[in-house]
Amino acid sequence: MAETAAVQRETGPRGPVASAPAIAVARLRRDYGERPALRDVTLELAAGETLAVLGPNGAGKTTLLRVLAALLRPTAGEVSVLGCSLPREAWKLRGRVGYLGHEPLLYRDLTGVENLRFQARLHGLEDLGTERISRLLDWVGMSRHADDLVRSLSAGMVQRLAVCRAALHEPDLLLLDEPRSHLDPEAAALVEPLIGAAPGRTRVIVTHDVEDGLAEGDRVLALRAGGAAAYEGPASGLSAGDARAIYGAAP
């Protein structure tokens, strides 16, 4: 697999982007003790684009998302997200990012609507929050369960609420870690207007679905086990077979 034998960086079909990128990462390293999770990762993403992050378990995909969300400090390297230098300006960034991780970040002993009202207060949306919460619950088909405790809901229902939480404040950047997990096709279609590709929407999406990742991303970052980048560039520059080979599977 010649084109993924080393890190590659290519210019997209639109050519160099004149304005500052939404995300700029240079030589990022993140260690857990003596174990490296990310090693010398470099990438750029323009505003309005989607970056699909591929790679096997243990490749550092979730760690990368948490660094970009200012939830983890980089061990080394430079990270700029929406013009904020991390970790120094993390306080400026957090209200502009919608993060959807493996954990829903909802209080299990509160109802769905209580969780969203709490999030609205955190983002200073007391005046507009009630109306927006109602619309979000309608969009994802959760209005009938708005007053149910989160701990009583199915995994798919909790995921739909988590999507509402991440999109509630209309963030400038969505950071999505396997966002359609636990969702059947109907539920996945319901959340698509909130987290799917849309004009002007900037996203980083972690997925194990190679074909969907290549179709959904403007750019792709493919990570090897151990956290080193195998490919970073336009989605059109990486074939599904070469992407699967990074996982160790036959093309």
Side-chain angles (χ1 to χ4, degrees), residues 112-120 125 128-139 143 146 164 168:
V113 73
E114 286 171 341
N115 268 282
L116 295 180
R117 286 172 181 162
F118 175 70
Q119 290 293 322
L125 300 175
L128 300 176
T130 300
E131 179 183 349
R132 178 151 174 80
I133 287 168
S134 179
R135 291 203 313 271
L136 288 171
L137 291 170
D138 281 341
W139 282 337
S143 293
C164 292
L168 176 64

Side-chain angles (χ1 to χ4, degrees), residues 12-13 21 36-37 41 49 61 66 69 94 118 126 141 153 176 197 202 205-206 213 215 221 224 244 247:
V41 173
E49 289 189 330
K61 303 183 300 297
R66 289 175 61 81
R94 290 195 176 109
F118 175 70
E126 289 91 345
L153 300 174
L176 309 170
T202 309
I205 181 167
V206 168
L221 172 68
R224 299 184 186 279
R244 280 193 294 271
Y247 287 77

Side-chain angles (χ1 to χ4, degrees), residues 18-233:
S19 59
I23 297 174
V25 175
R27 303 175 303 281
L28 169 63
R29 183 179 182 93
R30 168 65 196 193
D31 298 336
Y32 293 104
E34 296 183 357
R35 180 178 66 85
L38 291 168
R39 295 184 292 167
D40 297 322
V41 173
T42 295
L43 66 93
E44 282 193 2
L45 185 70
E49 289 189 330
T50 293
L51 173 71
V53 183
L54 307 174
N57 293 333
K61 303 183 300 297
T62 294
T63 295
L64 174 64
L65 224 59
R66 289 175 61 81
V67 169
L68 296 178
L71 297 174
L72 285 176
R73 296 172 66 94
T75 302
E78 299 177 2
V79 180
S80 174
V81 180
L82 301 179
C84 301
S85 177
L86 299 182
R88 181 170 52 87
E89 296 180 307
W91 62 276
K92 292 169 59 176
L93 175 68
R94 290 195 176 109
R96 301 175 62 193
V97 168
Y99 176 75
L100 182 61
H102 289 161
E103 296 296 326
L105 303 181
L106 300 168
Y107 291 100
R108 289 173 53 80
D109 291 323
L110 295 180
T111 67
V113 73
E114 286 171 341
N115 268 282
L116 295 180
R117 286 172 181 162
F118 175 70
Q119 290 293 322
R121 289 196 297 272
L122 289 180
H123 290 289
L125 300 175
E126 289 91 345
D127 293 337
L128 300 176
T130 300
E131 179 183 349
R132 178 151 174 80
I133 287 168
S134 179
R135 291 203 313 271
L136 288 171
L137 291 170
D138 281 341
W139 282 337
V140 302
M142 286 295 293
S143 293
R144 289 192 302 114
H145 299 282
D147 294 318
D148 294 349
L149 295 177
V150 168
R151 59 180 165 83
S152 72
L153 300 174
S154 70
M157 291 179 179
V158 171
Q159 187 71 358
R160 282 186 270 169
L161 283 175
V163 168
C164 292
R165 174 195 56 73
L168 176 64
H169 55 299
E170 299 182 314
D172 297 320
L173 171 65
L174 285 172
L175 300 173
L176 309 170
D177 201 342
E178 299 184 77
R180 301 174 186 94
S181 62
H182 307 301
L183 298 179
D184 60 31
E186 181 180 357
L190 289 174
V191 304
E192 194 67 10
L194 299 178
I195 61 172
R201 181 175 288 169
T202 309
R203 304 182 303 157
V204 178
I205 181 167
V206 168
T207 180
H208 281 296
D209 190 318
V210 169
E211 283 76 11
D212 279 359
L214 293 176
E216 195 167 6
D218 298 291
R219 301 187 69 82
V220 172
L221 172 68
L223 295 169
R224 299 184 186 279
Y231 177 88
E232 193 277 320

